[in-house]
Amino acid sequence: MTNKYIYFVANWKMFGKLKTLNSINKVMSFVKKFKKNKLKLIYCPPATLISPLNDKLKSTIIQIGAQNCHESDSYGANTGQINSSMLKAVGARYVILGHSENRQLGENDNLINLKIKNSIKSGLKIIFCIGESLSQKKNKQTKRILSKQIDRGLKKVVNKKKIIIAYEPIWAIGSGLTPKNSEILEIVKFIKGKVRGSKVLYGGSVNNQNINVLKKINNVDGFLVGGASQNSNNFVDIIRKTFN
Ligand code: PEP
């Protein structure tokens, strides 16, 4: 990987209580030796932990993101929902949008587009997830699907600098499977060709074993790590091995 920064985004999913935050101490002391311009480390805990994590991470290089938000940037009668400006107010700098686990719950490209535009308005950067299913991959539809997700998700988004794209094949998430390096290389090139100047991450079953292989993909700007980021030893291992 020859990029200026390497991003590591920890997507904790539905995991963690206040006391779980103690486990991040290991990561905090490990990253002390890194300068901001080498490593971009972003923790995306559940919304319940954003504020306490923000307190904990003050004066570190680690930043915080949320895992999703409501599409509106104003208050409303939306029981159980949180909007992007509320997330910003408690310390989030990023938000993950378009994650396949939320697409599977019914989020479509138009809704994701609205979320992206309003989250940018609120001052957040976007980690925009796209990816194909296994049957789409088998039918050689990957680029067509990604193209559609990008075109619709980023429709009328002017400030593309606020967008980091995470290529996450649905079949790779939580499965222990990953595409071949050559496949990721080709897809990242394709995405960067479509969205000029964009940073592109790979996500899907990244762990402390396969990172030695995945880190060789030289056009990837970093990794979105789900399950393996919930264990700080594993997560530190992933970061250490990437830089070794
Ligand atoms: C994710 O949920 O974004 C993800 C990449 O998960 P995992 O690493 O567990 O496959």
Side-chain angles (χ1 to χ4, degrees):
M1 294 174 69
T2 55
N3 303 292
K4 192 177 167 214
Y5 307 120
I6 302 181
Y7 284 83
F8 293 89
V9 180
N11 174 15
W12 267 17
K13 311 193 188 211
M14 193 167 68
F15 167 80
K17 296 184 178 155
L18 262 184
K19 64 172 192 265
T20 319
L21 297 183
N22 294 333
S23 71
I24 296 181
N25 293 348
K26 279 190 196 111
V27 182
M28 288 166 68
S29 56
F30 173 72
V31 300
K32 268 188 192 143
K33 62 180 172 203
F34 285 94
K35 296 228 169 67
K36 243 192 189 153
N37 62 1
K38 204 70 193 121
L39 170 70
K40 291 256 192 200
L41 181 51
I42 303 157
Y43 261 92
C44 301
T48 47
L49 295 178
I50 291 176
S51 182
L53 189 56
N54 186 42
D55 292 340
K56 188 177 172 77
L57 296 179
K58 283 209 172 105
S59 73
T60 75
I61 64 163
I62 307 174
Q63 295 179 309
I64 299 173
Q67 295 177 13
N68 201 357
C69 66
H70 189 266
E71 61 271 24
S72 169
D73 60 347
S74 51
Y75 293 149
N78 302 104
T79 305
Q81 300 290 327
I82 306 173
N83 73 28
S84 47
S85 69
M86 295 156 77
L87 293 170
K88 176 92 193 317
V90 287
R93 309 270 291 271
Y94 294 81
V95 60
I96 296 174
L97 293 173
H99 195 284
S100 63
E101 286 159 9
N102 293 320
R103 290 181 189 261
Q104 276 156 16
L105 294 176
E107 289 196 8
N108 62 28
D109 294 318
N110 295 341
L111 182 73
I112 294 162
N113 176 248
L114 207 53
K115 291 185 181 203
I116 290 176
K117 286 189 287 199
N118 276 331
S119 298
I120 292 175
K121 249 206 244 169
S122 297
L124 296 178
K125 290 185 184 153
I126 315 299
I127 298 158
F128 173 40
C129 300
I130 57 173
E132 83 287 0
S133 68
L134 192 54
S135 65
Q136 288 163 340
K137 177 182 165 62
K138 283 182 178 160
N139 290 323
K140 304 204 181 317
Q141 294 177 321
T142 299
K143 286 183 184 167
R144 192 174 68 76
I145 294 297
L146 299 181
S147 227
K148 199 167 78 165
Q149 291 172 342
I150 291 170
D151 291 342
R152 293 184 180 173
L154 298 185
K155 194 172 168 191
K156 295 195 175 148
V157 173
V158 268
N159 203 344
K160 299 243 177 28
K161 282 210 176 91
K162 300 281 178 189
I163 311 281
I164 297 164
I165 298 178
Y167 170 52
E168 298 210 301
I170 300 169
W171 53 272
I173 294 178
S175 63
L177 303 171
T178 57
K180 291 183 200 120
N181 278 13
S182 57
E183 293 173 317
I184 299 175
L185 184 90
E186 188 186 335
I187 294 299
V188 171
K189 189 172 162 213
F190 171 73
I191 296 169
K192 289 188 173 188
K194 258 192 94 63
V195 187
R196 298 256 165 226
S198 62
K199 300 280 181 200
V200 181
L201 315 182
Y202 168 74
S205 292
V206 175
N207 60 41
N208 58 1
Q209 299 304 309
N210 60 24
I211 191 64
N212 279 328
V213 174
L214 292 169
K215 75 174 187 184
K216 294 184 180 147
I217 308 166
N218 61 22
N219 59 356
V220 156
D221 296 290
F223 301 98
L224 176 42
V225 186
S229 72
Q230 295 170 358
N231 177 308
S232 290
N233 289 327
N234 289 347
F235 196 41
V236 163
D237 240 19
I238 289 171
I239 301 169
R240 181 188 299 117
K241 286 182 177 175
T242 303
F243 284 100
N244 273 347

